Short mmCIF file of all heavy atoms in Angstrom, two decimals:
data_model
loop_
_atom_site.label_atom_id
_atom_site.label_comp_id
_atom_site.label_asym_id
_atom_site.label_seq_id
_atom_site.Cartn_x
_atom_site.Cartn_y
_atom_site.Cartn_z
N ILE D 124 -50.97 -110.49 144.05
CA ILE D 124 -51.55 -111.54 143.20
C ILE D 124 -51.17 -112.91 143.75
O ILE D 124 -52.01 -113.82 143.81
CB ILE D 124 -51.08 -111.38 141.74
CG1 ILE D 124 -51.69 -110.11 141.12
CG2 ILE D 124 -51.47 -112.61 140.92
CD1 ILE D 124 -51.17 -109.79 139.75
N ALA D 125 -49.91 -113.06 144.16
CA ALA D 125 -49.44 -114.34 144.71
C ALA D 125 -50.20 -114.68 146.00
O ALA D 125 -50.55 -115.83 146.24
CB ALA D 125 -47.94 -114.27 144.98
N ASP D 126 -50.46 -113.65 146.82
CA ASP D 126 -51.22 -113.88 148.05
C ASP D 126 -52.65 -114.32 147.75
O ASP D 126 -53.19 -115.21 148.41
CB ASP D 126 -51.27 -112.59 148.89
CG ASP D 126 -49.92 -112.27 149.53
OD1 ASP D 126 -49.12 -113.21 149.71
OD2 ASP D 126 -49.68 -111.10 149.83
N LYS D 127 -53.25 -113.70 146.75
CA LYS D 127 -54.65 -113.98 146.42
C LYS D 127 -54.82 -115.33 145.77
O LYS D 127 -55.82 -116.03 146.02
CB LYS D 127 -55.18 -112.88 145.51
CG LYS D 127 -56.68 -112.95 145.27
CD LYS D 127 -57.16 -111.75 144.47
CE LYS D 127 -58.67 -111.80 144.25
NZ LYS D 127 -59.15 -110.63 143.47
N TYR D 128 -53.87 -115.71 144.93
CA TYR D 128 -53.98 -116.98 144.19
C TYR D 128 -52.86 -117.92 144.60
O TYR D 128 -52.15 -118.47 143.76
CB TYR D 128 -53.95 -116.72 142.69
CG TYR D 128 -55.04 -115.80 142.21
CD1 TYR D 128 -54.76 -114.46 141.89
CD2 TYR D 128 -56.36 -116.24 142.10
CE1 TYR D 128 -55.77 -113.61 141.47
CE2 TYR D 128 -57.37 -115.38 141.68
CZ TYR D 128 -57.06 -114.07 141.36
OH TYR D 128 -58.06 -113.22 140.95
N ILE D 129 -52.70 -118.12 145.91
CA ILE D 129 -51.56 -118.87 146.41
C ILE D 129 -51.59 -120.33 145.96
O ILE D 129 -50.55 -120.93 145.66
CB ILE D 129 -51.49 -118.79 147.96
CG1 ILE D 129 -50.17 -119.36 148.47
CG2 ILE D 129 -52.68 -119.48 148.61
CD1 ILE D 129 -48.96 -118.58 148.02
N MET D 130 -52.77 -120.95 145.87
CA MET D 130 -52.85 -122.34 145.42
C MET D 130 -52.39 -122.48 143.97
O MET D 130 -51.66 -123.41 143.64
CB MET D 130 -54.28 -122.86 145.57
CG MET D 130 -54.72 -123.11 146.99
SD MET D 130 -56.29 -124.00 147.05
CE MET D 130 -56.58 -124.04 148.82
N LEU D 131 -52.81 -121.54 143.15
CA LEU D 131 -52.41 -121.55 141.74
C LEU D 131 -50.90 -121.36 141.62
O LEU D 131 -50.24 -122.03 140.82
CB LEU D 131 -53.16 -120.47 140.97
CG LEU D 131 -52.92 -120.40 139.45
CD1 LEU D 131 -53.35 -121.70 138.80
CD2 LEU D 131 -53.66 -119.22 138.84
N CYS D 132 -50.35 -120.45 142.43
CA CYS D 132 -48.91 -120.21 142.41
C CYS D 132 -48.13 -121.44 142.86
O CYS D 132 -47.07 -121.76 142.30
CB CYS D 132 -48.57 -119.02 143.30
SG CYS D 132 -49.10 -117.43 142.63
N LEU D 133 -48.64 -122.13 143.86
CA LEU D 133 -47.98 -123.35 144.33
C LEU D 133 -47.96 -124.41 143.24
O LEU D 133 -46.98 -125.15 143.10
CB LEU D 133 -48.69 -123.89 145.58
CG LEU D 133 -48.44 -123.14 146.89
CD1 LEU D 133 -49.36 -123.67 147.97
CD2 LEU D 133 -46.98 -123.25 147.32
N LEU D 134 -49.04 -124.47 142.48
CA LEU D 134 -49.11 -125.44 141.38
C LEU D 134 -48.16 -125.07 140.25
O LEU D 134 -47.37 -125.88 139.78
CB LEU D 134 -50.54 -125.53 140.85
CG LEU D 134 -51.55 -126.30 141.71
CD1 LEU D 134 -52.96 -126.11 141.16
CD2 LEU D 134 -51.20 -127.78 141.76
N ILE D 135 -48.20 -123.79 139.83
CA ILE D 135 -47.42 -123.35 138.67
C ILE D 135 -45.93 -123.31 138.97
O ILE D 135 -45.11 -123.72 138.15
CB ILE D 135 -47.90 -121.96 138.20
CG1 ILE D 135 -49.34 -122.05 137.67
CG2 ILE D 135 -46.98 -121.40 137.11
CD1 ILE D 135 -49.94 -120.72 137.28
N PHE D 136 -45.56 -122.80 140.15
CA PHE D 136 -44.14 -122.63 140.47
C PHE D 136 -43.58 -123.69 141.42
O PHE D 136 -42.43 -123.62 141.82
CB PHE D 136 -43.91 -121.24 141.08
CG PHE D 136 -44.22 -120.11 140.14
CD1 PHE D 136 -45.31 -119.29 140.37
CD2 PHE D 136 -43.44 -119.90 139.02
CE1 PHE D 136 -45.60 -118.26 139.51
CE2 PHE D 136 -43.73 -118.86 138.15
CZ PHE D 136 -44.82 -118.04 138.39
N GLY D 137 -44.40 -124.67 141.76
CA GLY D 137 -43.93 -125.71 142.65
C GLY D 137 -44.21 -127.09 142.13
O GLY D 137 -43.34 -127.78 141.59
N ILE D 138 -45.45 -127.51 142.25
CA ILE D 138 -45.80 -128.90 141.98
C ILE D 138 -45.65 -129.30 140.52
O ILE D 138 -45.12 -130.37 140.21
CB ILE D 138 -47.24 -129.17 142.47
CG1 ILE D 138 -47.27 -129.05 144.01
CG2 ILE D 138 -47.71 -130.56 142.06
CD1 ILE D 138 -48.66 -128.99 144.59
N ILE D 139 -46.11 -128.45 139.61
CA ILE D 139 -46.05 -128.81 138.18
C ILE D 139 -44.61 -128.94 137.68
O ILE D 139 -44.24 -129.96 137.07
CB ILE D 139 -46.86 -127.82 137.32
CG1 ILE D 139 -48.36 -127.99 137.63
CG2 ILE D 139 -46.59 -128.02 135.83
CD1 ILE D 139 -49.26 -127.01 136.92
N PRO D 140 -43.73 -127.93 137.90
CA PRO D 140 -42.33 -128.12 137.45
C PRO D 140 -41.64 -129.28 138.16
O PRO D 140 -40.83 -129.99 137.55
CB PRO D 140 -41.67 -126.77 137.79
CG PRO D 140 -42.59 -126.07 138.71
CD PRO D 140 -43.95 -126.56 138.41
N GLN D 141 -41.95 -129.49 139.44
CA GLN D 141 -41.36 -130.62 140.16
C GLN D 141 -41.84 -131.96 139.60
O GLN D 141 -41.10 -132.94 139.59
CB GLN D 141 -41.69 -130.52 141.65
CG GLN D 141 -40.93 -129.40 142.36
CD GLN D 141 -41.42 -129.18 143.77
OE1 GLN D 141 -42.46 -129.69 144.17
NE2 GLN D 141 -40.67 -128.40 144.54
N THR D 142 -43.08 -131.98 139.12
CA THR D 142 -43.62 -133.19 138.51
C THR D 142 -42.84 -133.57 137.26
O THR D 142 -42.42 -134.73 137.10
CB THR D 142 -45.11 -132.99 138.15
OG1 THR D 142 -45.86 -132.77 139.34
CG2 THR D 142 -45.66 -134.20 137.41
N PHE D 143 -42.61 -132.60 136.40
CA PHE D 143 -41.84 -132.87 135.18
C PHE D 143 -40.39 -133.21 135.52
O PHE D 143 -39.78 -134.07 134.87
CB PHE D 143 -41.91 -131.67 134.23
CG PHE D 143 -43.22 -131.53 133.51
CD1 PHE D 143 -44.15 -130.57 133.89
CD2 PHE D 143 -43.55 -132.38 132.46
CE1 PHE D 143 -45.36 -130.44 133.24
CE2 PHE D 143 -44.77 -132.26 131.80
CZ PHE D 143 -45.68 -131.29 132.19
N ALA D 144 -39.85 -132.52 136.53
CA ALA D 144 -38.46 -132.77 136.93
C ALA D 144 -38.28 -134.19 137.45
O ALA D 144 -37.35 -134.90 137.06
CB ALA D 144 -38.03 -131.76 137.99
N SER D 145 -39.17 -134.63 138.34
CA SER D 145 -39.04 -135.99 138.89
C SER D 145 -39.29 -137.05 137.83
O SER D 145 -38.67 -138.11 137.83
CB SER D 145 -40.00 -136.18 140.07
OG SER D 145 -41.35 -136.07 139.68
N LYS D 146 -40.18 -136.76 136.88
CA LYS D 146 -40.42 -137.70 135.78
C LYS D 146 -39.16 -137.86 134.93
O LYS D 146 -38.79 -138.99 134.54
CB LYS D 146 -41.58 -137.21 134.92
CG LYS D 146 -41.92 -138.11 133.73
CD LYS D 146 -42.40 -139.48 134.17
CE LYS D 146 -42.84 -140.33 132.98
NZ LYS D 146 -43.24 -141.70 133.37
N LEU D 147 -38.47 -136.75 134.67
CA LEU D 147 -37.23 -136.78 133.89
C LEU D 147 -36.13 -137.53 134.65
O LEU D 147 -35.43 -138.37 134.08
CB LEU D 147 -36.75 -135.36 133.59
CG LEU D 147 -37.47 -134.60 132.48
CD1 LEU D 147 -37.02 -133.13 132.47
CD2 LEU D 147 -37.20 -135.23 131.12
N VAL D 148 -36.02 -137.24 135.93
CA VAL D 148 -34.93 -137.80 136.73
C VAL D 148 -35.10 -139.30 136.95
O VAL D 148 -34.12 -140.05 136.98
CB VAL D 148 -34.84 -137.07 138.09
CG1 VAL D 148 -33.89 -137.79 139.04
CG2 VAL D 148 -34.38 -135.63 137.88
N PHE D 149 -36.36 -139.74 137.08
CA PHE D 149 -36.60 -141.14 137.44
C PHE D 149 -37.12 -141.98 136.29
O PHE D 149 -37.76 -143.02 136.50
CB PHE D 149 -37.57 -141.21 138.62
CG PHE D 149 -36.98 -140.74 139.90
CD1 PHE D 149 -37.28 -139.48 140.40
CD2 PHE D 149 -36.08 -141.53 140.60
CE1 PHE D 149 -36.73 -139.03 141.58
CE2 PHE D 149 -35.52 -141.09 141.79
CZ PHE D 149 -35.84 -139.83 142.28
N ILE D 150 -36.83 -141.57 135.07
CA ILE D 150 -37.18 -142.40 133.92
C ILE D 150 -36.44 -143.74 134.03
O ILE D 150 -35.22 -143.78 134.18
CB ILE D 150 -36.79 -141.70 132.60
CG1 ILE D 150 -37.73 -140.53 132.32
CG2 ILE D 150 -36.82 -142.68 131.44
CD1 ILE D 150 -37.40 -139.75 131.07
N GLY D 151 -37.19 -144.81 134.00
CA GLY D 151 -36.59 -146.14 134.08
C GLY D 151 -36.42 -146.68 135.49
O GLY D 151 -36.14 -147.86 135.68
N GLU D 152 -36.58 -145.82 136.50
CA GLU D 152 -36.41 -146.27 137.88
C GLU D 152 -37.64 -147.01 138.40
O GLU D 152 -37.55 -147.98 139.11
CB GLU D 152 -36.11 -145.07 138.80
CG GLU D 152 -34.76 -144.46 138.59
CD GLU D 152 -33.63 -145.34 139.08
OE1 GLU D 152 -33.89 -146.28 139.85
OE2 GLU D 152 -32.47 -145.10 138.67
N LYS D 153 -38.81 -146.50 138.04
CA LYS D 153 -40.05 -147.10 138.50
C LYS D 153 -41.15 -146.72 137.51
O LYS D 153 -41.13 -145.63 136.96
CB LYS D 153 -40.39 -146.60 139.91
CG LYS D 153 -41.38 -147.48 140.66
CD LYS D 153 -41.39 -147.11 142.15
CE LYS D 153 -42.23 -148.09 142.94
NZ LYS D 153 -42.17 -147.82 144.40
N GLU D 154 -42.09 -147.60 137.31
CA GLU D 154 -43.14 -147.36 136.33
C GLU D 154 -44.18 -146.39 136.87
O GLU D 154 -45.35 -146.74 137.05
CB GLU D 154 -43.78 -148.69 135.91
CG GLU D 154 -42.84 -149.61 135.15
CD GLU D 154 -42.27 -148.95 133.90
OE1 GLU D 154 -43.03 -148.25 133.20
OE2 GLU D 154 -41.07 -149.11 133.64
N PHE D 155 -43.76 -145.17 137.14
CA PHE D 155 -44.67 -144.11 137.56
C PHE D 155 -45.07 -143.29 136.35
O PHE D 155 -44.21 -142.80 135.61
CB PHE D 155 -44.00 -143.19 138.59
CG PHE D 155 -44.15 -143.64 140.01
CD1 PHE D 155 -44.69 -144.88 140.32
CD2 PHE D 155 -43.75 -142.82 141.05
CE1 PHE D 155 -44.82 -145.29 141.64
CE2 PHE D 155 -43.89 -143.22 142.37
CZ PHE D 155 -44.42 -144.45 142.66
N SER D 156 -46.38 -143.13 136.14
CA SER D 156 -46.84 -142.25 135.07
C SER D 156 -46.62 -140.81 135.49
O SER D 156 -46.30 -140.51 136.65
CB SER D 156 -48.33 -142.48 134.82
OG SER D 156 -49.09 -142.12 135.97
N LEU D 157 -46.80 -139.89 134.55
CA LEU D 157 -46.68 -138.46 134.87
C LEU D 157 -47.70 -138.07 135.94
O LEU D 157 -47.39 -137.29 136.85
CB LEU D 157 -46.88 -137.62 133.61
CG LEU D 157 -46.63 -136.11 133.77
CD1 LEU D 157 -45.17 -135.84 134.12
CD2 LEU D 157 -47.01 -135.37 132.48
N ALA D 158 -48.88 -138.65 135.84
CA ALA D 158 -49.93 -138.37 136.83
C ALA D 158 -49.51 -138.82 138.23
O ALA D 158 -49.77 -138.15 139.22
CB ALA D 158 -51.23 -139.05 136.43
N MET D 159 -48.83 -139.98 138.30
CA MET D 159 -48.38 -140.48 139.60
C MET D 159 -47.27 -139.61 140.17
O MET D 159 -47.18 -139.42 141.38
CB MET D 159 -47.91 -141.93 139.46
CG MET D 159 -47.81 -142.66 140.79
SD MET D 159 -49.39 -142.69 141.68
CE MET D 159 -48.81 -142.68 143.37
N HIS D 160 -46.43 -139.07 139.30
CA HIS D 160 -45.41 -138.12 139.75
C HIS D 160 -46.07 -136.85 140.29
O HIS D 160 -45.58 -136.23 141.24
CB HIS D 160 -44.45 -137.78 138.61
CG HIS D 160 -43.35 -138.79 138.43
ND1 HIS D 160 -42.18 -138.76 139.16
CD2 HIS D 160 -43.27 -139.87 137.62
CE1 HIS D 160 -41.41 -139.78 138.79
NE2 HIS D 160 -42.05 -140.46 137.86
N PHE D 161 -47.17 -136.46 139.67
CA PHE D 161 -47.93 -135.29 140.14
C PHE D 161 -48.46 -135.55 141.56
O PHE D 161 -48.34 -134.70 142.45
CB PHE D 161 -49.09 -135.01 139.17
CG PHE D 161 -49.91 -133.80 139.51
CD1 PHE D 161 -49.37 -132.53 139.42
CD2 PHE D 161 -51.22 -133.94 139.93
CE1 PHE D 161 -50.12 -131.41 139.73
CE2 PHE D 161 -52.00 -132.83 140.24
CZ PHE D 161 -51.44 -131.55 140.14
N VAL D 162 -49.02 -136.74 141.76
CA VAL D 162 -49.51 -137.13 143.09
C VAL D 162 -48.37 -137.11 144.10
O VAL D 162 -48.51 -136.58 145.21
CB VAL D 162 -50.16 -138.53 143.03
CG1 VAL D 162 -50.41 -139.06 144.43
CG2 VAL D 162 -51.47 -138.48 142.25
N MET D 163 -47.25 -137.72 143.72
CA MET D 163 -46.10 -137.79 144.62
C MET D 163 -45.64 -136.40 145.04
O MET D 163 -45.37 -136.14 146.22
CB MET D 163 -44.95 -138.53 143.95
CG MET D 163 -43.68 -138.63 144.80
SD MET D 163 -42.30 -139.45 143.94
CE MET D 163 -41.83 -138.16 142.76
N ASN D 164 -45.56 -135.48 144.09
CA ASN D 164 -45.07 -134.14 144.39
C ASN D 164 -46.07 -133.31 145.18
O ASN D 164 -45.66 -132.40 145.91
CB ASN D 164 -44.65 -133.43 143.10
CG ASN D 164 -43.29 -133.88 142.61
OD1 ASN D 164 -42.27 -133.51 143.17
ND2 ASN D 164 -43.27 -134.72 141.58
N ILE D 165 -47.34 -133.60 145.06
CA ILE D 165 -48.32 -132.94 145.93
C ILE D 165 -48.07 -133.35 147.37
O ILE D 165 -47.96 -132.51 148.27
CB ILE D 165 -49.77 -133.29 145.52
CG1 ILE D 165 -50.14 -132.59 144.21
CG2 ILE D 165 -50.75 -132.86 146.62
CD1 ILE D 165 -51.54 -132.93 143.72
N TYR D 166 -47.97 -134.66 147.59
CA TYR D 166 -47.75 -135.17 148.95
C TYR D 166 -46.44 -134.62 149.54
O TYR D 166 -46.42 -134.07 150.65
CB TYR D 166 -47.71 -136.69 148.95
CG TYR D 166 -49.06 -137.36 148.98
CD1 TYR D 166 -49.39 -138.37 148.08
CD2 TYR D 166 -50.01 -137.00 149.95
CE1 TYR D 166 -50.63 -139.00 148.14
CE2 TYR D 166 -51.25 -137.64 150.00
CZ TYR D 166 -51.55 -138.63 149.10
OH TYR D 166 -52.77 -139.25 149.16
#
Side-chain angles (χ1 to χ4, degrees):
I124 292 174
D126 288 336
K127 188 174 182 180
Y128 302 104
I129 190 64
M130 288 190 183
L131 184 61
C132 289
L133 285 172
L134 285 171
I135 294 175
F136 296 111
I138 294 168
I139 292 176
Q141 288 171 348
T142 296
F143 285 105
S145 63
K146 180 64 175 177
L147 283 171
V148 170
F149 290 103
I150 288 178
E152 290 290 343
K153 199 166 187 176
E154 294 303 319
F155 272 9
S156 64
L157 186 64
M159 196 59 211
H160 277 275
F161 182 68
V162 168
M163 178 183 73
N164 281 285
I165 288 178
Y166 277 130

